[in-house]
Amino acid sequence: MKKIDIHIVGLGNLGSAFLNGLNDLDTNIYLYEDSNVVRQSMQKSYSITPEEYLTAINDGVLLLCIKPQNINQFFITNKDKIGKDVLICTPVAGLEIKTIQKYFGNNILRIMPNLLIHDKTGFIPFTSNYQGDYLNFIHNVLKNLGTVKEVDESMFPIVTALSGSGPAWFYELSNQLVNSGTELGLSLEDSELIIKELVKALPALVDKDETFKDLVNKVKSPGGTTEAGLNSLNDDSFDTIILNAIRKATQRSTEISKELTNE
Ligand SMILES: NC(=O)c1ccc[n+]([C@@H]2O[C@H](COP(=O)([O-])OP(=O)(O)OC[C@H]3O[C@@H](n4cnc5c(N)ncnc54)[C@H](OP(=O)(O)O)[C@@H]3O)[C@@H](O)[C@H]2O)c1
């Protein structure tokens, strides 16, 4: 069977996470990156020199890992280089399938992975404008990078906020825990170490059959230290703080969609 060609455009956070996750798969990888600094660093890390500009491609997958603000210009510049059989795969936040269809009649796969694809533990929601698994890309490629799940495109803004931005919520919570540790007398080094060890150990304790609510209930005992802290979170409306943040991120995703559609 012919190896699938995967053309990754943009090698920032997400493009390089894809590159790392795909490293040991039997695919042909082609890279494109307009920053000279990034091209050179790719050469050092992966011994591959990305091209600066997309060359004409007639098959395989075009994986667009560039920022929303660069996408319409990319389509305008490269429209004639992308053949009709190419699968256009986009993780670009807010970029709707209908916006891409203004430029291309191709099969389009919209995904919203998070950076954990770097270590093949990502979550990859997807939706597409075609039936089945064109080029077996979902089964043969994406499933190797994490858990894959089809979701309705109307749910992409909330999925983007929860999953695409998801690592940031946990990093910021961890950052605030570290700050609390130092505020109450620990050294920065010890506080970082404690929280890093905690975050690394937690996945093993997350059970598929238990909800997070169950897990919270399991670790608190009546009148204990954890319960005292949880009560304080409750008194300070932690639920509202989180809901507002996710609402803002969801709204921003919807705004970006509107901006991209109107460009
Ligand atoms: N980061 C995440 O966790 C995440 C998660 C889900 C989805 N996404 C989506 O993935 C996309 C990329 O995000 P990112 O965080 O990886 O951004 P990033 O770190 O800024 O990387 C984008 C890279 O693409 C380069 N680039 C821009 N235009 C190009 C072009 N025409 N040809 C080749 N290279 C080009 C940029 O170079 P210059 O800096 O020189 O322009 C930059 O190095 C975004 O649309 C984002 O919505 C990201």
Side-chain angles (χ1 to χ4, degrees):
M1 206 170 66
K2 186 180 177 290
K3 279 194 209 176
I4 188 166
D5 293 348
I6 302 179
H7 300 260
I8 306 179
V9 183
L11 295 163
N13 299 307
L14 191 68
S16 53
F18 264 112
L19 180 61
N20 198 75
L22 294 173
N23 216 6
D24 57 357
L25 277 194
D26 198 17
T27 57
N28 298 318
I29 304 273
Y30 303 87
L31 305 176
Y32 310 88
E33 166 60 54
D34 69 0
S35 156
N36 188 27
V37 177
V38 176
R39 284 204 303 279
Q40 283 174 1
S41 86
M42 284 290 141
Q43 172 59 37
K44 272 197 203 127
S45 313
Y46 293 95
S47 306
I48 314 177
T49 309
E51 299 292 332
E52 187 171 359
Y53 302 109
L54 190 74
T55 37
I57 55 173
N58 292 315
D59 51 21
V61 180
L62 179 67
L63 183 52
L64 297 169
C65 296
I66 60 180
K67 292 276 192 212
Q69 57 266 33
N70 296 125
I71 202 76
N72 276 308
Q73 188 53 50
F74 174 85
F75 287 154
I76 292 165
T77 311
N78 295 288
K79 211 160 41 113
D80 298 332
K81 294 183 184 167
I82 299 161
K84 64 178 178 21
D85 296 330
V86 172
L87 172 61
I88 300 178
C89 178
T90 164
V92 177
L95 179 64
E96 294 178 308
I97 289 178
K98 68 172 188 231
T99 304
I100 306 180
Q101 283 175 325
K102 286 200 294 190
Y103 300 94
F104 301 98
N106 295 44
N107 283 347
I108 299 166
L109 178 66
R110 183 176 178 193
I111 59 175
M112 184 38 67
N114 54 33
L115 290 177
L116 305 179
I117 57 168
H118 180 278
D119 299 309
K120 302 180 188 288
T121 56
F123 177 66
I124 313 177
F126 72 91
T127 187
S128 66
N129 67 346
Y130 56 89
Q131 299 290 315
D133 186 7
Y134 183 56
L135 304 179
N136 293 321
F137 181 64
I138 294 171
H139 187 266
N140 289 350
V141 177
L142 292 185
K143 279 195 173 162
N144 286 283
L145 301 177
T147 302
V148 174
K149 180 162 175 46
E150 185 161 15
V151 297
D152 193 88
E153 194 172 20
S154 63
M155 291 295 119
F156 261 65
I158 172 64
V159 169
T160 303
L162 277 186
S163 182
S165 306
W169 316 133
F170 288 90
Y171 294 152
E172 182 56 20
L173 175 63
S174 303
N175 178 38
Q176 293 306 336
L177 289 171
V178 170
N179 289 345
S180 304
T182 57
E183 188 71 25
L184 296 176
L186 277 176
S187 68
L188 178 60
E189 196 187 2
D190 284 352
S191 201
E192 281 268 354
L193 176 71
I194 289 168
I195 299 304
K196 276 194 182 147
E197 290 304 316
L198 180 67
V199 172
K200 281 195 284 181
L202 280 177
L205 302 178
V206 176
D207 187 310
K208 264 196 186 148
D209 297 329
E210 280 175 311
T211 64
F212 285 107
K213 185 85 191 155
D214 294 337
L215 290 171
V216 170
N217 288 333
K218 228 170 148 177
V219 293
K220 70 171 182 188
S221 44
T225 53
T226 309
E227 189 181 65
L230 287 167
N231 287 345
S232 173
L233 282 179
N234 194 32
D235 292 346
D236 290 340
S237 303
F238 187 57
D239 54 350
T240 309
I241 292 173
I242 297 295
L243 178 60
N244 282 344
I246 301 302
R247 214 192 284 280
K248 280 267 157 43
T250 306
Q251 280 167 357
R252 182 62 197 133
S253 178
T254 306
E255 278 166 22
I256 293 172
S257 296
K258 288 194 183 126
E259 286 162 18
L260 288 171
T261 312
N262 294 333
E263 265 178 32

